[in-house]
Amino acid sequence: GVDPVSRREFWDALAHLAAEGLTILLATPYLDEAERCHRVALMHQGEIHDLGTPNELRQRLGAQRMEVRTTNLAVAEEVLSPLAGPEQEILDVQRFGDRLDLLAPHPDAARVIVQEHLSDAGLEIQEILLDEPTLENTFVARLRALGEEVHDEPFPARHDHTQRTGQVAIGASRLTRQFGSFTAVRDLSLEVHYGEIYGLLGANGAGKTTTIKMLCGLVAPTRGVVQLAGWTKQLRSSEVRQSIGYMSQKFSLYNDLSIEENLEFFAGVYGVPREEREEKKRWVLEFSGLEGREQQLTGSLPQGWKQRVAFGSAIMHEPSVLFLDEPTSGVDPLARRSFWKMINRLADAGTAILVTTHYLEEAEQCNRLGLMVAGELVAEGTPTSIKAAQEGVLMEFVTDQPQRALDLLKDTSERWRISLFGDRLHVILNQDQADGERMYREKLAAAGIKVISAKPGRFSLEDVFISVVEKARSKGKARVED
Ligand code: ATP
């Protein structure tokens, strides 16, 4: 539940302590966090399956990541997925909000295959970019080689919302919510369409949960209008409730009920027809990997498993509008993939989905993103367009003293410009790339820090998020929690 800005500060603090000689051992299911460690051990079922620096692990995968942008991602995924597998020219296909990621040992060969198949399917390729694989790619590939698979049980869908695809499902017009004299959400307007996955991002306390609660009728706005699944009034009626699903951040299941009892309860509350209940409950158990454990008390499940059951409970009634507030907190990479496969399927079937997350690699799975700072929506667009709108140029420096380099540059430039990813220093330059690079090289050289390499990089969503939040803060838009 910690937001990216605070997380980066936390990691800077850890890097500092490590540079002073402290040994730190930490556990995380998030591979973008693992990228910041000196060495990483990939553990599965009680055994270590790989160990090395993030770079070594990436190299061992022996593949490049290809970002493919095309006219219809759902169709492209359907066409390319069957070609992927171990020993193939395409090792893996993963769908994101506005691109597909492929892992390919020989990108040139893979490119020909992709072009051929997509053109046969009548799709136009807009762009193919090559990049390094992420640690998450590496970990998922490793797990698959061990025979682990992404849970992909077909959902027993009985309803179809595709006839509404493209229409407005969630509409907010100048929504404001005050708690006493404090304004949690100010003048927020947004639209989410049927068939769309919309991600709401923001620092802790930015107002995301309050926004979701207003949008689904749980909190009354102080001002502004909400439109939800065609309704503007009485959003808490049972009719509206049956059209929406809500997985809340704090509460989603009763700990002192068994898994089965929770499923039965939510099937009842959401009005799942009796004749559909058994198949739906069975699906949730399969999706969660909990078949045979239905009598277990929910409170005894680890967080990641509870999240799977909660997600299943929120979609059993096939809502046309789905709110997911940090659904994947504590969920491991393979299970996260199952979540997103399912979320994409629901969107393909016409469901409108509004999701919050603090993991920006995951935010790339959304079709559109809204960025909130201190109760206001300050940026909106597709993941690609939000990154493209970022001003300046990103340079990636590798130095012999990454921590000292970070401290030095942070002290002498605006903080949001500088961040450390593992041993790579990201610096956002304003000016002409050559001038900027020279200036930073001089600063580093003057302090006796050697630059091993410097090359232009591409903005990650995290670079953008942090600079948007830090810039807004520097203009005085800040909150205690922010
Ligand atoms: P997080 O990422 O931590 O979940 P968020 O973006 O979802 O944060 P909200 O939970 O919407 O943020 O909170 C926004 C602000 O409104 C916070 O300052 C919070 O303390 C305040 N707030 C929320 N609910 C109430 C309430 N019922 N009474 C008073 N203040 C509240």
Side-chain angles (χ1 to χ4, degrees), residues 39-145:
R39 286 196 305 147
V40 179
L42 300 181
M43 239 186 135
H44 181 59
Q45 293 189 341
E47 281 180 55
I48 289 180
H49 288 280
D50 214 345
L51 179 69
T53 65
N55 225 354
E56 284 164 358
L57 297 191
R58 269 195 296 267
Q59 300 292 326
R60 258 174 237 160
L61 180 64
Q64 293 266 79
R65 189 166 62 84
M66 290 170 74
E67 292 187 4
V68 180
R69 290 183 172 76
T70 174
T71 31
N72 187 329
L73 291 177
V75 174
E77 185 189 22
E78 218 174 272
V79 170
L80 297 178
S81 292
L83 308 177
E87 319 285 323
Q88 304 297 317
E89 285 299 353
I90 298 173
L91 300 177
D92 187 33
V93 175
Q94 191 180 4
R95 177 164 155 197
F96 286 86
D98 56 7
R99 64 169 210 261
L100 290 184
D101 270 14
L102 272 49
L103 288 184
H106 314 102
D108 287 340
R111 185 187 287 265
V112 173
I113 298 174
V114 170
Q115 277 164 342
E116 234 173 64
H117 281 78
L118 294 190
S119 123
D120 284 352
L123 300 182
E124 190 188 313
I125 296 175
Q126 290 150 338
E127 183 178 43
I128 298 185
L129 288 176
L130 268 192
D131 211 338
E132 281 192 324
T134 61
L135 259 195
E136 176 135 354
N137 294 143
T138 311
F139 189 46
V140 168
R142 205 77 169 108
L143 290 181
R144 289 182 132 179

Side-chain angles (χ1 to χ4, degrees), residues 179 182 184 203-210 249 326 358 479 481:
F179 294 109
F182 173 74
N204 292 129
K208 303 176 297 295
T209 301
T210 308
Q249 191 185 103
E326 292 188 36
H358 286 310
R479 286 210 183 130
E481 292 98 328

Side-chain angles (χ1 to χ4, degrees), residues 1-3 177-180 182-185 201-213 219 249-250 325-326 356 358 372 375 479-482:
V2 177
D3 70 55
R177 173 68 207 202
Q178 281 170 316
F179 294 109
F182 173 74
T183 308
V185 176
L201 310 179
N204 292 129
K208 303 176 297 295
T209 301
T210 308
T211 302
I212 289 192
K213 286 186 174 168
V219 162
Q249 191 185 103
K250 296 224 168 67
D325 200 355
E326 292 188 36
T356 70
H358 286 310
M372 280 184 86
R479 286 210 183 130
V480 181
E481 292 98 328
D482 281 8

Side-chain angles (χ1 to χ4, degrees), residues 205-314:
K208 303 176 297 295
T209 301
T210 308
T211 302
I212 289 192
K213 286 186 174 168
M214 285 193 281
L215 293 175
C216 65
L218 288 174
V219 162
T222 310
R223 280 189 302 282
V225 183
V226 173
Q227 180 196 334
L228 176 62
W231 306 75
T232 49
K233 292 202 171 72
Q234 283 158 346
L235 300 181
R236 300 182 72 166
S237 70
S238 65
E239 268 169 302
V240 180
R241 192 167 60 223
Q242 287 182 14
S243 328
I244 67 167
Y246 177 34
M247 180 175 169
S248 89
Q249 191 185 103
K250 296 224 168 67
F251 168 79
S252 27
L253 296 170
Y254 289 99
N255 278 332
D256 45 5
L257 294 184
S258 68
I259 300 167
E260 162 108 46
E261 287 164 336
N262 262 307
L263 294 179
E264 188 58 39
F265 174 76
F266 283 103
V269 168
Y270 280 129
V272 177
R274 291 217 166 265
E275 65 278 13
E276 291 180 24
R277 284 194 193 173
E278 276 317 306
E279 62 176 12
K280 291 280 166 55
K281 287 196 301 192
R282 214 171 31 244
W283 179 85
V284 179
L285 291 169
E286 279 174 13
F287 173 80
S288 315
L290 289 170
E291 302 107 310
R293 289 168 69 181
E294 10 328 32
Q295 302 314 324
Q296 192 172 332
L297 267 192
T298 307
S300 67
L301 287 175
Q303 175 70 11
W305 298 85
K306 262 197 227 170
Q307 297 289 98
R308 299 179 209 194
V309 179
F311 175 72
S313 309

